[in-house]
Amino acid sequence: SSFYRYRESNDEERLTGSIGLEKRYRDDWRRGVSFRGQRVRISDLDYDVPKEIRDVEGDSMLYGTRFYIRRDRTDNRYLPTRGYHFDAGYEQIFGDFTFGILTGTQRWYHTLYEDLAENKTVLETKLHAGTVLGSAPMFEKFYAGGIGSIRGFDYRGISPRRGPDDDPIGSDWLVMGSWEIAVPLGSQRFSWLFFTDIGMIDSGPVRSSVGTGIQIQIPQFFGPVPMR
């Protein structure tokens, strides 16, 4: 895989090769190991970027080995209405930098109401936490904000900041939680969302948001994919 992104004060390019092996058990537990080799290129820096960004300018090589465990007890992979999903893992990074990343995510799903057409109003609760063990470069640290994170904030907008322009440099740890209710509008394909998100990083106050939105299930070959 490869991507090129324009950050606030620099450009970031990644070229990645990865492979993984997973053992699946009858009781829905899974354990596995994955490997990645990655070239990260930080370029086109603003003249006044902080030291944390200036120090990683150019190419960096990372080689990671991640061990993880998972358990999926939900009733549907794409549109769960009950059950839970657990994922935890540790990745050791070598190469131009040496550090570890420990993460864990727990999701619960509960049906609050079911109408006569079997459309279900579902509550999803999510907890996520991660920490860096050792000294990681700014492009491997934690950022929050945006879809899939703390909604109502800019993408990667929640981060420690340095320099004259308050450029984000990433956090050594992150804790987030969210509660979301999906109310079907005539069918499960269209839902009205009500949510609240909350999170903390290693500096600044607790961030939180409350909002609403629309979810549309887009038909795909292997199952519906939610667009929000």
Side-chain angles (χ1 to χ4, degrees), residues 42 50 57 66 71 73 80 91 105 129 155 160 171 174 176 197 203 207 210-211 221 226:
I42 304 298
E57 183 180 11
R66 185 174 189 264
R71 196 180 198 191
R73 300 303 301 270
E91 183 178 27
T105 304
Y155 173 66
S171 172
L174 170 69
M176 295 189 304
D197 297 335
S203 66
R207 277 77 163 185
V210 176
F221 184 77

Side-chain angles (χ1 to χ4, degrees), residues 136-152:
M138 47 78 57
F139 53 77
E140 285 291 301
K141 292 189 176 185
F142 294 98
Y143 299 81
I147 294 295
S149 180
I150 305 177
R151 289 162 284 192

Side-chain angles (χ1 to χ4, degrees), residues 4-204:
Y4 195 104
R5 291 192 176 135
Y6 303 96
R7 305 298 189 192
E8 289 187 29
S9 58
N10 61 273
D11 295 349
E12 179 181 330
E13 180 182 2
R14 296 199 186 214
L15 180 64
T16 305
S18 61
I19 189 172
L21 301 171
E22 183 177 85
K23 172 68 175 179
R24 301 178 180 180
Y25 298 90
R26 292 183 179 181
D27 59 358
D28 297 321
W29 278 104
R30 303 180 180 188
R31 61 187 174 101
V33 58
S34 60
F35 309 92
R36 66 161 162 152
Q38 190 171 71
R39 187 202 69 191
V40 183
R41 176 173 293 170
I42 304 298
S43 61
D44 293 334
L45 278 61
D46 292 349
Y47 74 94
D48 58 352
V49 297
K51 183 178 184 298
E52 288 84 353
I53 301 177
R54 181 75 63 186
D55 286 348
V56 296
E57 183 180 11
D59 289 355
S60 300
M61 293 301 302
L62 303 179
Y63 304 96
T65 301
R66 185 174 189 264
F67 302 93
Y68 64 87
I69 56 173
R70 294 173 180 162
R71 196 180 198 191
D72 188 350
R73 300 303 301 270
T74 58
D75 59 343
N76 186 287
R77 177 180 178 184
Y78 298 98
L79 194 64
T81 62
R82 59 181 175 82
Y84 67 88
H85 184 279
F86 171 76
D87 185 303
Y90 173 78
E91 183 178 27
Q92 181 62 49
I93 305 294
F94 303 97
D96 291 331
F97 302 92
T98 301
F99 58 94
I101 301 176
L102 180 65
T103 57
T105 304
Q106 175 76 47
R107 291 181 172 90
W108 295 270
Y109 299 90
H110 180 68
T111 297
L112 301 179
Y113 175 76
E114 183 176 354
D115 63 19
L116 295 178
E118 298 184 346
N119 297 314
K120 298 178 180 180
T121 298
V122 178
L123 169 66
E124 176 189 354
T125 304
K126 174 185 174 182
L127 294 176
H128 172 75
T131 185
V132 172
L133 304 178
S135 181
M138 47 78 57
F139 53 77
E140 285 291 301
K141 292 189 176 185
F142 294 98
Y143 299 81
I147 294 295
S149 180
I150 305 177
R151 289 162 284 192
F153 292 82
D154 288 339
Y155 173 66
R156 292 166 55 104
I158 300 176
S159 166
R161 294 174 178 269
R162 300 285 189 275
D165 295 330
D166 287 334
D167 295 316
I169 59 170
S171 172
D172 286 329
W173 59 266
L174 170 69
V175 177
M176 295 189 304
S178 69
W179 297 264
E180 178 180 281
I181 296 177
V183 182
L185 300 175
S187 73
Q188 295 289 163
R189 181 167 293 183
F190 300 95
S191 298
W192 192 3
L193 306 177
F194 301 91
F195 66 84
T196 179
D197 297 335
I198 189 170
M200 294 178 60
I201 58 172
D202 63 20
S203 66

